[in-house]
Amino acid sequence: MGEVDPAFIQDTQHRPKLAVIEAESIPLIDLSSAKASNHVSQIADACKNWGFFQVINHGVPSESRRKIEDAARKFFALPLEEKRKVSRDEVNPMGYFDTEHTKNVRDWKEVFDHVVSSPAFIPASPDPDDKELKELINQWPQYPPELREVCEEYAREMEKLAFKLLGLISLSLGLPENRFNLFFEESANFIRLNHYPPCPIPHLALGVGRHKDGVALTILAQDDVGGLQVKLKTNGEWVRVKPTPDTYIINVGDIVQVWSNDTYESVEHRVMMNSEWERFSISFFFSPGHHVWVKPLEELTKGEEPKYRAYNWGKFFVTRRRSSFKKLDVENLQISHFKVSE
Ligand code: OGA
Ligand code: NI
């Protein structure tokens, strides 16, 4: 990335402290069936108090993770001009991208995005009156040739795990296990391969700036370098999520926050850089179909006012997506913009 572009520099109050507190205790949930009687209450506690947890014995074969990690490493090692042959742009939002902005500051990373099921559709524009849809088309590079297959295999595993977690979250809110499933018909789940090159200015820049995930759930595989930080709900401190082999990190996204009428909260997180090691991670974003109107569930608002007005997921997604391309002068779209004033 050569000369440091000022677009990477975080405002003073958002710069990371290089000595960080290690979170030993982000909840670790053992998903093996022998422990099934504890799952629902553990998920309830984790979602309420942390918004983040890790899972082990999750059923995803370690082989399938190893294969996608190897292929991602090979892809990102290609010369820039090769990677740019599959660049994402304003017309096709899937592919390679190295100038993402989070909250209008550039991230120290490069990514490769692909959608999981096909065909998958999103609105053609953020304009609420424009009913046109656009199909999301994946762009696969020539090298490594196995990338497509390993991504597709990993995606199937992620979807299975995501539905298992969704069922547990639903039960933990006192709802039937399949209460949310209908929303995920025609979903446009996507996977993002992340590569964070070593950064000469880890005190000034971030791999991903602070943000909340707009989706329902995120399943993250981080490597053993680490760098993910979560903002504690209790005191607002940033803590590091220590890498644990063969676990996945799960976080509740904005949609679950709205469905649950703020019982569960989508928590801010970011990625801190280091000057020595490159880091890889894989995010699976689990999201409803574009036509879904997201609003607090009636069963969960009995006796109290819904805290949010309904919003259309597809329009929300494309509006957000547009803001990640360049530095804009306005804050990007947040669920707080749909909050009913109290
Ligand atoms: C994300 C994200 C964290 C990481 O992709 O939304 O928060 O560790 N990634 O890559
Ligand atoms: Ni995130």
Side-chain angles (χ1 to χ4, degrees), residues 286-298:
F286 192 44
S287 36
H290 66 83
H291 50 82
V292 167
W293 283 83
V294 182
K295 57 174 198 258
L297 295 188
E298 274 165 30

Side-chain angles (χ1 to χ4, degrees), residues 270-287:
R270 66 184 188 186
V271 173
M272 196 174 109
M273 298 310 304
N274 74 80
S275 52
E276 258 176 278
W277 307 104
E278 62 179 339
R279 171 179 186 262
F280 295 87
S281 70
I282 307 165
S283 321
F284 171 83
F285 296 108
F286 192 44
S287 36

Side-chain angles (χ1 to χ4, degrees), residues 40-105:
V40 174
S41 64
Q42 285 177 324
I43 296 256
D45 281 353
C47 292
K48 227 180 250 137
N49 302 324
W50 291 83
F52 265 85
F53 54 96
Q54 303 192 67
V55 292
I56 48 164
N57 295 321
H58 36 65
V60 180
S62 40
E63 185 63 7
S64 132
R65 173 157 170 185
R66 194 190 53 75
K67 285 194 287 191
I68 192 173
E69 285 174 345
D70 287 352
R73 210 171 259 275
K74 288 186 198 161
F75 172 72
F76 287 120
L78 292 175
L80 189 56
E81 67 267 22
E82 276 304 306
K83 293 184 277 194
R84 289 214 168 131
K85 286 185 184 160
V86 291
S87 275
R88 160 185 147 184
D89 55 30
E90 305 220 14
V91 179
N92 188 345
M94 295 296 133
Y96 173 76
F97 197 48
D98 66 352
T99 52
E100 185 151 82
H101 289 70
T102 301
K103 302 217 190 301
N104 299 322
V105 181

Side-chain angles (χ1 to χ4, degrees), residues 226-338:
L228 177 68
Q229 296 185 336
V230 174
K231 194 172 186 175
L232 288 192
K233 282 183 71 173
T234 44
N235 58 10
E237 290 273 0
W238 287 101
V239 296
R240 192 176 114 98
V241 179
K242 190 178 167 188
T244 312
D246 206 30
T247 58
Y248 288 92
I249 299 167
I250 318 296
N251 65 291
V252 163
D254 291 346
I255 293 178
V256 166
Q257 173 166 348
V258 172
W259 279 340
S260 74
N261 208 32
D262 284 352
T263 302
Y264 294 163
E265 250 175 76
S266 169
V267 164
E268 253 185 342
H269 52 285
R270 66 184 188 186
V271 173
M272 196 174 109
M273 298 310 304
N274 74 80
S275 52
E276 258 176 278
W277 307 104
E278 62 179 339
R279 171 179 186 262
F280 295 87
S281 70
I282 307 165
S283 321
F284 171 83
F285 296 108
F286 192 44
S287 36
H290 66 83
H291 50 82
V292 167
W293 283 83
V294 182
K295 57 174 198 258
L297 295 188
E298 274 165 30
E299 304 96 298
L300 299 178
T301 51
K302 278 201 187 111
E304 55 176 298
E305 289 300 310
K307 296 191 169 141
Y308 297 89
R309 286 178 281 122
Y311 63 91
N312 174 264
W313 165 245
K315 292 291 178 189
F316 184 93
F317 177 80
V318 295
T319 308
R320 247 308 167 82
R321 198 76 180 172
R322 202 178 44 166
S323 74
S324 73
F325 276 97
K326 51 182 173 282
K327 196 166 160 55
L328 302 172
D329 294 329
V330 291
E331 188 196 10
N332 66 6
L333 186 61
Q334 303 292 335
I335 52 168
S336 56
H337 299 147
F338 299 96

Side-chain angles (χ1 to χ4, degrees), residues 1-19:
M1 292 191 182
E3 282 281 292
V4 173
D5 178 343
F8 284 114
I9 310 297
Q10 297 282 336
D11 281 349
T12 322
Q13 76 270 31
H14 299 306
R15 292 179 191 166
K17 290 193 200 110
L18 293 187

